[in-house]
């Protein structure tokens, strides 16, 4: 990643992830509220709820190698790993960070929009009949069909035009460029 003039790096954008956070908060809040109500009822002299008595009996009488205990533990571990993965990964893979010219401004470019811009530039090259451009985080792949002109000349022109287009996108990390040109299938 290239450092900007202000010395700050343009890192990836992080997803907000409101839905997983809201689901976890609702489950924790509901469970805590239910347990708190039951504990308060027991302290007030009422019997514990039936589900809590059954759960306590099951946990006390089942062995640790029981299938239900192992299954519940596996589900809890997988849910925890999923939440940890959501917490430590950026998540917005579709957005490419752009160079930071100003320390107060962060900009990003959607990969599909970048592919569309580069495809339009490639279609302006003489001899290109159709082109497909895929923009990844590290590489731009262009596959073109040429219906006239020599394939090497079209490839050289596409290399030049697309390299300039990638440079003008202003991305923080300039992706590599891969161009392939072929003739259309005769049909």
């Amino acid at each position: 990643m290239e450092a900007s003039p202000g010395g700050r790096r343009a890192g990836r954008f992080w997803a907000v992830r409101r839905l997983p956070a809201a689901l976890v908060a609702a489950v924790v809040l509901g469970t805590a509220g239910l347990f708190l109500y039951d504990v308060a009822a027991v302290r007030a002299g009422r019997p514990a709820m039936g589900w809590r008595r059954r759960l306590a009996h099951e946990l006390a009488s089942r062995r640790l190698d029981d299938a239900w205990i192992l299954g519940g533990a596996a589900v809890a571990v997988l849910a925890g790993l999923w939440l940890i993965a959501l917490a430590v990964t950026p998540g917005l893979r579709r957005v490419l960070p752009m160079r930071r010219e100003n320390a107060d401004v962060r900009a990003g470019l959607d990969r599909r929009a970048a592919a569309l811009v580069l495809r339009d530039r490639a279609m302006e090259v003489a001899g290109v009949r159709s082109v497909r451009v895929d923009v990844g985080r590290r590489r731009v792949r262009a596959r073109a069909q040429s219906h006239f002109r020599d394939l090497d000349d079209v490839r050289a022109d596409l290399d030049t035009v697309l390299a300039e287009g990638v440079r003008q996108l202003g991305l923080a990390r300039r992706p590599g460029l891969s161009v392939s040109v072929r003739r259309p299938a005769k049909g």
Side-chain angles (χ1 to χ4, degrees):
M1 217 176 279
E2 300 171 10
S4 63
R8 298 204 40 178
R9 299 180 90 161
R12 291 201 21 219
F13 289 90
W14 284 70
V16 177
R17 295 191 173 111
R18 288 186 178 103
L19 184 63
L23 288 175
V24 169
V27 167
V28 168
L29 182 66
T31 305
L34 198 58
F35 275 113
L36 183 62
Y37 172 79
D38 193 44
V39 168
V42 168
R43 293 285 181 175
R46 300 178 131 206
M49 290 184 178
W51 65 268
R52 197 175 82 147
R53 281 182 277 154
R54 242 184 336 244
L55 179 64
H57 174 71
E58 288 294 327
L59 289 175
S61 63
R62 287 190 185 254
R63 296 177 47 93
L64 289 179
D65 60 352
D66 185 58
W68 285 102
I69 300 292
L70 293 175
V75 167
V77 166
L78 290 176
L81 289 175
W82 178 63
L83 291 172
I84 289 172
L86 287 177
V88 298
T89 57
L92 286 179
R93 299 176 60 88
R94 289 187 322 229
V95 179
L96 298 170
M98 298 177 73
R99 274 193 308 271
R100 292 183 80 169
E101 303 296 331
N102 185 340
D104 297 334
V105 178
R106 286 191 69 202
L109 182 62
D110 187 76
R111 289 199 289 180
R112 285 178 288 184
L116 185 62
V117 167
L118 294 174
R119 185 192 67 83
D120 289 347
R121 285 183 163 239
M123 287 301 294
E124 294 173 359
V125 172
V128 173
R129 178 178 178 180
S130 67
V131 65
R132 179 178 172 159
V133 178
D134 295 317
V135 177
R137 288 186 6 224
R138 291 189 166 82
R139 178 158 302 279
V140 174
R141 289 180 183 84
R143 292 181 296 278
Q145 290 185 353
S146 176
H147 55 92
F148 68 91
R149 287 184 66 199
D150 184 48
L151 292 181
D152 292 333
D153 294 341
V154 174
R155 186 176 295 110
D157 289 349
L158 275 174
D159 276 335
T160 304
V161 166
L162 291 177
E164 178 63 19
V166 168
R167 187 190 68 72
Q168 288 181 351
L169 288 177
L171 300 176
R173 181 180 189 173
R174 195 170 300 158
L177 181 60
S178 170
V179 176
S180 65
V181 180
R182 64 181 174 89
R183 296 271 184 228
K186 293 185 180 186

